[in-house]
Amino acid sequence: MLGLLLIYFIGKNFYELADDYEKSKWGFAILGVVSYYLGTFLGGIILSIILEISGTNSLDDINSMLVSLIALPFGLLSCIGLYFILKRNWEKNREATESIIDNIGKGDHSDDN
């Protein structure tokens, strides 16, 4: 149940971000959720590699709920990272577009000496 709430809020934040910058709302909401799951998947792989190298325990001996809790920060960090990357890039593009529109609106009268 808590996982569904987490997915809802991740999707909602990406949906609102895409709406603010006039991008595909549902596409980026789904991308945000996929980035979360990719991050948890990579976190699980990293955890299993560390456990195999250390030789202390096998991943089979650890409770699956514990593995999920350990992988959770990896998913959240990947999701937050993607969110800020998208926001920064879209903000730069918006500023560049507004700058071009402002220059066209004012007219380039550099020959008027």
Side-chain angles (χ1 to χ4, degrees), residues 2 13-14 18 24 28 32 45 50 55 59-60 64 68 75 85-86 88 101-102 106 112:
L2 292 176
N13 285 325
F14 275 88
S24 172
F28 284 100
I45 289 175
I50 289 172
L59 198 57
D60 295 331
S64 64
S68 297
I85 288 171
L86 288 174
R88 186 186 69 207
I101 291 172
D102 288 343
K106 292 177 184 175
D112 298 339

Side-chain angles (χ1 to χ4, degrees), residues 17 25 34 43 54 59 64-65 71 80 90 102:
L17 177 70
K25 294 177 262 195
V34 168
S54 67
L59 198 57
S64 64
M65 181 60 113
I80 291 169
W90 291 345
D102 288 343

Side-chain angles (χ1 to χ4, degrees), residues 14-58:
F14 275 88
Y15 184 92
E16 290 173 354
L17 177 70
D19 189 33
D20 290 344
Y21 291 97
E22 299 173 356
K23 304 292 182 183
S24 172
K25 294 177 262 195
W26 283 104
F28 284 100
I30 292 170
L31 179 65
V33 172
V34 168
S35 71
Y36 167 75
Y37 280 116
L38 272 172
T40 57
F41 179 73
L42 291 175
I45 289 175
I46 291 170
L47 176 64
S48 66
I49 289 172
I50 289 172
L51 287 175
E52 286 299 320
I53 289 174
S54 67
T56 56
N57 277 339
S58 156

